[in-house]
Amino acid sequence: MKAIVGSDHAGINGRKNATEVLRNRGWDVEERGPATEEEKADYPDIAHQIATAVTSGEAELGVLVCGTGQGMAMTANRYPGVRAAVITDQFTAQMSRAHNDANIACFGERVIGQEQIVTHLQTFLDTPFEGGRHQGRVGKIDKIVGEA
Ligand code: RB5
């Protein structure tokens, strides 16, 4: 199982924590992003790399960390088949998997801090997609407006 984890300079600690969580669970993890906070990175450049790996099937799962998680999700969600969720608490961690089948978890390190990224990511990983009535709804996400 391959995961790809990225951050800009505002999410380095969360990125490292996420990588550790995933490796401890047996994921093969590739990391993208700067090594230090002084090495500035533009969040879209990182999000494009992670979303490209997920949309192509090269990675099953992506994790993105920036200051708020928002810019990462905005960028990643431009890719077909990508369902990037900004996770702020335990409920969104669960529901983004159970109902939305999210395949990229986005976190804001300046919003929730690096410890909560660990807690919420664990919940995200522990929660399966429920399928059923949610399958059809998820299938509609990639439909362009005007399509039947
Ligand atoms: C970087 O300063 C910050 O704008 C970025 O990490 C993120 O919060 C954008 O969505």
Side-chain angles (χ1 to χ4, degrees), residues 113-136:
Q114 56 173 303
E115 286 82 16
Q116 285 199 57
I117 290 174
V118 170
T119 314
H120 299 337
L121 179 58
Q122 299 274 22
T123 298
F124 182 90
L125 295 169
D126 285 340
T127 308
F129 177 48
E130 281 179 15
R133 70 187 192 279
H134 301 294
Q135 186 69 62

Side-chain angles (χ1 to χ4, degrees), residues 7-11 40-44 65-74 107-111:
S7 80
D8 66 359
H9 50 279
K40 302 300 179 198
D42 293 336
Y43 62 84
V65 188
C66 65
T68 61
Q70 302 292 348
M72 291 296 201
M74 288 176 192
F107 298 102
E109 187 169 326
R110 290 175 179 163
V111 180

